[in-house]
Amino acid sequence: MKEKIESLRQEIESQIQLTETGRALYELKVKFQTELKGIMAGMKNLTKEEKPLFGKVVNEFKQSMEAQFDSRAVVVKEMELKAQYEKERIDITMPGKSYKAGALHPITLVKNELIDIFSGMGFEVFEGPEIETDYYNFTALNTPKDHPARDMQDTFYLADNLLLRTQTSAGQIRVMEKQAPPIKILSPGRVFRSDDDATHSPMFHQMEGLVVDKGITLCDLQGMLQEFAQKMFTSSTKVRLRPSYFPFTEPSVEVDLSCSECGGKGCRLCKGTGWIEVLGAGMVNRHVLENCGVDPDEYTGFAFGMGVERIAMLKYGINNIKTLFENDTRFLEQFED
Ligand code: PHE
């Protein structure tokens, strides 16, 4: 039996030194335990006197082997870690892959800038729905069914009474219905018209403004527009109001800005006039106030609506509105700020 133990010791000891992985060491340990069990099973044939003596020998053998397994485990673990690090090694001197970061679309840039300018003057943002009823888009805005002004905007109807809003002015009604004056809101959003050429797209963006309070006059509108024009374009940009017509404002005005390209002398951009038309505005028509339950003898207000694409085209010198919707990255890359 002693020989058996001795040969097992030699065999296992030499093999332990050869193991290089935790798995191999574990398998060797299982083999050792099985062999040891065999040796211990043979103990039942020993005499009473031999048994305790031999038991001690086996115990010592077992303990010394286990200590060797444990110390080899530390070494093997170290080897495994080293191999793993070697495999995962990264050459930090290699040039990295460069990924292009996205950027905001020029429409979004202009929209954000408009919101910035007007919120600085105390306007709050309200967003209305893109699908509207005939009432909010037209009737409540003093444009009943047979009104000739309906022809000013070619409308996409979804059903008899449902349409894609042609103007963010629909939001004026939604706000005034819910909120009592004083009101000072800015309403950005997409609008839709059956209209398509170099300066018109069937889908475009508008920015609506509405102020209702006691004693609001056209002068307030003009002053606010002046402030807007100088912030959006240059500090020398001038504002000009021309009489116009919208069913929901009275009086109505068309607002021109002095041409930022030529400073008002006349150039190709302003078609020689020195002025560029940028938005429609006016004093809220008393019928519209009445439709929303606001007393027109107590309150007055002004409203304005501008095309975001138009402002973007003027600001960045874009001559075809379609380039804003084609998503050609060569075009869009120019607006990364
Ligand atoms: N809704 C008008 C349009 O789309 C613009 C406008 C808004 C005019 C508010 C006056 C007041 O043409």
Side-chain angles (χ1 to χ4, degrees):
M1 276 208 140
K2 277 216 170 114
E3 288 89 73
K4 262 194 191 165
I5 289 182
E6 213 31 60
S7 81
L8 182 58
R9 182 198 298 280
Q10 270 167 25
E11 185 194 341
I12 298 293
E13 271 179 357
S14 66
Q15 285 186 19
I16 279 185
Q17 298 313 313
L18 298 177
T19 54
E20 285 181 353
T21 64
R23 172 105 216 138
L25 192 63
Y26 170 77
E27 277 165 8
L28 185 62
K29 195 167 180 181
V30 171
K31 181 180 166 196
F32 160 71
Q33 282 164 342
T34 319
E35 301 269 329
L36 190 68
K37 249 191 206 152
I39 292 172
M40 279 156 84
M43 277 171 68
K44 66 176 184 299
N45 302 324
L46 297 177
T47 63
K48 254 195 187 144
E49 297 74 41
E50 283 173 320
K51 262 185 193 166
L53 273 173
F54 193 70
K56 205 172 155 225
V57 172
V58 170
N59 245 340
E60 276 167 13
F61 171 54
K62 193 174 163 218
Q63 273 166 16
S64 100
M65 291 315 287
E66 268 167 7
Q68 288 188 50
F69 273 112
D70 287 349
S71 64
R72 185 65 188 175
V74 176
V75 176
V76 164
K77 186 147 192 162
E78 187 79 9
M79 288 165 86
E80 279 183 331
L81 269 178
K82 245 194 189 155
Q84 187 188 342
Y85 291 156
E86 199 54 46
K87 225 167 65 193
E88 290 174 357
R89 190 182 163 131
I90 296 168
D91 180 0
I92 55 164
T93 62
M94 250 164 63
K97 281 186 198 145
S98 68
Y99 293 98
K100 263 204 148 158
L104 293 179
H105 191 277
I107 294 296
T108 310
L109 289 175
V110 169
K111 185 177 121 181
N112 288 350
E113 196 172 343
L114 288 169
I115 291 176
D116 249 24
I117 292 173
F118 285 104
S119 51
M121 296 188 233
F123 283 77
E124 273 174 58
V125 172
F126 165 84
E127 284 185 57
E130 290 175 358
I131 295 176
E132 267 299 4
T133 62
D134 189 278
Y135 177 77
Y136 286 101
N137 196 82
F138 289 124
T139 310
L141 285 163
N142 201 30
T143 323
K145 274 238 151 64
D146 50 359
H147 199 289
R150 286 215 180 189
D151 297 340
M152 285 163 80
Q153 300 169 1
D154 280 323
T155 311
F156 291 114
Y157 279 91
L158 302 175
D160 231 12
N161 196 29
L162 276 186
L163 46 85
L164 294 176
R165 66 174 171 198
T166 60
Q167 49 190 355
T168 43
S169 302
Q172 289 186 29
I173 307 298
R174 291 196 174 267
V175 169
M176 283 192 280
E177 268 185 354
K178 276 207 206 85
Q179 189 185 327
I183 291 170
K184 206 169 182 186
I185 58 111
L186 193 63
S187 192
R190 291 197 287 186
V191 299
F192 308 83
R193 291 180 199 178
S194 179
D195 213 349
D196 204 1
D197 60 36
T199 51
H200 295 89
S201 155
M203 184 284 293
F204 63 103
H205 298 75
Q206 279 190 334
M207 184 69 77
E208 189 89 5
L210 172 72
V211 175
V212 183
D213 203 348
K214 286 179 179 155
I216 298 289
T217 70
L218 201 65
C219 287
D220 297 314
L221 172 67
Q222 187 165 18
M224 188 222 60
L225 289 173
Q226 182 67 56
E227 170 97 3
F228 149 74
Q230 291 180 349
K231 288 216 166 105
M232 193 71 198
F233 294 95
T234 64
S235 57
S236 55
T237 304
K238 288 194 236 0
V239 172
R240 177 174 85 170
L241 307 187
R242 273 183 296 114
S244 184
Y245 174 77
F246 297 102
F248 36 89
T249 45
E250 180 58 36
S252 300
V253 292
E254 210 76 62
V255 181
D256 298 338
L257 302 186
S258 57
C259 180
S260 51
E261 190 75 14
C262 62
K265 286 195 232 42
C267 66
R268 250 182 54 177
L269 184 66
C270 58
K271 301 189 187 87
T273 64
W275 295 94
I276 293 177
E277 185 188 315
V278 289
L279 59 99
M283 298 304 292
V284 181
N285 190 307
R286 57 187 293 124
H287 296 309
V288 175
L289 294 174
E290 274 164 3
N291 287 342
C292 302
V294 177
D295 181 356
D297 293 324
E298 196 181 350
Y299 293 103
T300 52
F302 67 72
F304 62 89
M306 64 182 92
V308 180
E309 282 77 1
R310 177 140 182 82
I311 304 283
M313 288 168 80
L314 289 172
K315 194 171 165 80
Y316 299 123
I318 299 165
N319 51 23
N320 190 330
I321 195 170
K322 297 297 176 322
T323 51
L324 288 167
F325 303 116
E326 280 164 353
N327 288 336
D328 183 333
T329 50
R330 289 167 304 177
F331 170 76
L332 295 175
E333 269 166 9
Q334 301 174 62
F335 300 95
E336 286 171 19
D337 54 2

